[in-house]
Amino acid sequence: DIAQDDWKSWSLTVDGDVHCWGDPMGYSLAAPREGVHFTAIAAGRQTSCGLDRRGRVHCWGGLADQAPTTSAVPSGRGFVSIVGGGRYFVGERFCVLDPRGVASCWSYNDVVLQPPADARYLDIAVGDVNACGITLDGELECWQGGHLQHKRL
């Protein structure tokens, strides 16, 4: 797995170790807690997050020691994918998918990215101002701040 933002790149080894390079600004080159092995990683502007082998979310660097400003970082386990995004002026946001395709999102700014409660996704992505997912029916669905858009693929 690999993740990248404006300043840094993260890679994941086959053993689940995380490596980072770049970032002349020094935001989040700090490595995640030792002894945690990851299956997926995602990068925000200053904060990075990943899923451990049990599907639990871990975040480090940047804003990770602060409480998210929208919903909490999911505390469950069994998540199967994680995505992140964000830019300097719009903050950072992350979403995870559980095995049923249910997305949970959180952010370190005031942009609410919660998807519709009954939605199920095959894949999701997070951008500067919204998040999008491919539904189980093959529709592209994007959401931000309570607004929802659909497009059949």
Side-chain angles (χ1 to χ4, degrees), residues 14-150:
V14 293
D15 294 328
D17 295 325
V18 176
H19 297 280
C20 183
W21 64 95
D23 195 5
M25 303 300 286
Y27 285 126
S28 62
L29 286 176
R33 189 176 62 197
E34 281 192 44
V36 177
H37 299 284
F38 292 88
T39 60
I41 52 176
R45 171 84 178 155
Q46 300 177 33
T47 309
S48 299
C49 297
L51 298 177
D52 69 16
R53 291 181 176 158
R54 292 185 176 173
R56 293 178 295 202
V57 176
H58 298 264
C59 296
W60 63 92
L63 304 172
D65 59 350
Q66 300 175 23
T69 55
T70 56
S71 59
V73 175
S75 60
R77 61 188 212 181
F79 295 108
V80 296
S81 68
I82 187 167
V83 294
R87 297 291 181 258
Y88 185 71
F89 292 107
V90 295
E92 301 179 76
R93 54 201 55 82
F94 296 89
C95 294
V96 290
L97 276 181
D98 74 10
R100 298 171 299 140
V102 176
S104 297
C105 302
W106 68 99
S107 67
Y108 294 96
N109 63 6
D110 294 327
V111 176
V112 179
L113 286 180
Q114 287 305 330
D118 59 346
R120 303 286 187 268
Y121 300 99
L122 296 170
D123 198 8
I124 55 176
V126 176
D128 286 351
V129 296
N130 66 358
C132 296
I134 305 292
T135 69
L136 300 180
D137 295 330
E139 273 191 31
L140 174 64
E141 190 170 84
C142 296
W143 62 90
Q144 183 244 340
H147 301 289
L148 187 63
Q149 298 174 342
H150 297 273

